[in-house]
Structure formats: C-alpha cells, structure tokens
Amino acid sequence: MTYHSYWRNKSSNFDVEPYCIKLFKQRWYVLGRSSYLNKMMIYALDRIQELWTLDDKYFNLESDFDADNFFCDYFGVMIDHNTPKEHIKLKVAISQANYLRSLPLHKSQTETYQSENFSIFEYNMRPTSDFHQEIMWHGETIEVIEPKWLREEIISKINELNNIYKIK
C-alpha cells in the first residue's frame, strides 16, 4: 500500500497483511502485520493512498486471531504492549457520570461509588496516549485518582496547557 502518515513528510510504499478493521472516533483503521517491521500496526484508512494485491505473496490469517481479544486491553487504537495493564480509578463529576454510564469508556468499566456530586469509575486496561487524550477531552469533569503516574502525567499536560494560555 501507499500510505501517508501524519508523522512523515512523504508517502511510503510497503506490504501489509490485513487482519481486521476497527472504527474509533468516527475514523476507520486497519490492523495489519507490517512485513518490514514484523509487527502489528494500525493504519488509518483515510491516509491510505493506494492499495493493491500481490500475486506472488500471500499470508494466512492466524486461525486463533480474535480482533476483540487483540484490542480488549486498550481504550482505542493506540497499541503499545510496553504499556502495562493498570487498575485505573477516575472521579467523575455528576454532570458527566450519566454520559459514562450510557457510553462506557472501556468494557472493564465499573462504577464503584456514587454520591450527589461525583461517581468513581474503575477500569482495567493499558492507558495508552489515546486514553490520556480522552481524559483531557473531558476537562474538569474527570479527575484521575489512580494510578499515581497517570495522575502526574495528566497534571503535567494541564500545566503545559496552562503555560500556553497564560496571559503575558
């Protein structure tokens, strides 16, 4: 395929063994094994400029491959097996709690506490960068309680935003 990543100035041509497609945040992605990198990669369909099949090469989809199982520890499409699976605890403002109840962030979501002002939601997953972005998107309505390193990372991002928006 010919693919133009947002992280590169020009398009690249390479072989991919397609495994599945996934819809996330109104964008379609393909999960495929890169024969060059010899690992699974995510490619946004809207960045694929050209596709073709190769007659001289083929692959057999692994018989035990399960797309749901592959993505089960992740929030979205950012896959990083080096990010450990964590127990995550979020304090959610009551104004946002119904939103999470009706549209859970992850299949592991459980609501473990509810009061007049906030709820506590807990998760077991790998908090990759797209999960961090989701937390930031919710602004002041979601606070990371645990793990401490994730809370500190969100605080650092908030401080960076504060520096950008400071009146000079």
Side-chain angles (χ1 to χ4, degrees):
M1 80 175 160
T2 302
Y3 188 77
H4 189 224
S5 168
Y6 287 157
W7 310 112
R8 298 183 185 265
N9 291 331
K10 61 182 184 174
S11 301
S12 302
N13 294 318
F14 48 88
D15 296 346
V16 173
E17 300 170 348
Y19 274 67
C20 67
I21 59 171
K22 180 177 175 74
L23 178 64
F24 179 67
K25 298 260 181 190
Q26 301 173 325
R27 188 168 291 201
W28 286 97
Y29 295 87
V30 63
L31 171 68
R33 180 175 302 285
S34 163
S35 38
Y36 177 74
L37 298 173
N38 194 29
K39 69 177 187 176
M40 297 297 256
M41 299 288 291
I42 295 287
Y43 305 99
L45 291 185
D46 63 325
R47 291 177 231 155
I48 296 174
Q49 297 174 327
E50 188 175 355
L51 283 174
W52 59 93
T53 58
L54 300 175
D55 294 332
D56 60 334
K57 293 186 179 185
Y58 67 95
F59 82 102
N60 291 319
L61 184 66
E62 298 169 16
S63 61
D64 62 344
F65 177 76
D66 180 320
D68 290 334
N69 189 50
F70 184 87
F71 287 102
C72 73
D73 290 341
Y74 297 97
F75 166 71
V77 294
M78 299 293 187
I79 305 302
D80 182 358
H81 298 301
N82 294 322
T83 300
K85 192 171 180 179
E86 295 276 1
H87 180 79
I88 301 162
K89 191 181 286 189
L90 303 178
K91 181 179 178 181
V92 180
I94 203 67
S95 62
Q96 197 66 17
N98 281 333
Y99 176 80
L100 293 187
R101 289 181 194 118
S102 67
L103 189 61
L105 294 179
H106 187 260
K107 69 176 186 146
S108 68
Q109 176 176 301
T110 56
E111 186 174 5
T112 57
Y113 178 80
Q114 188 174 358
S115 74
E116 289 181 18
N117 300 316
F118 67 91
S119 287
I120 301 292
F121 289 90
E122 298 187 33
Y123 306 86
N124 290 299
M125 67 170 143
R126 298 173 189 260
T128 53
S129 60
D130 50 1
F131 182 69
H132 300 192
Q133 291 171 347
E134 182 71 12
I135 297 301
M136 295 293 293
W137 182 83
H138 288 276
E140 74 283 357
T141 65
I142 291 185
E143 176 186 355
V144 175
I145 305 299
E146 295 174 2
K148 183 179 179 184
W149 72 265
L150 180 58
R151 180 180 175 85
E152 289 171 352
E153 191 161 316
I154 297 299
I155 289 169
S156 176
K157 291 176 190 292
I158 291 167
N159 288 335
E160 288 175 31
L161 277 172
N162 187 46
N163 287 334
I164 290 170
Y165 285 96
K166 275 185 181 174
I167 299 175
K168 297 178 182 178

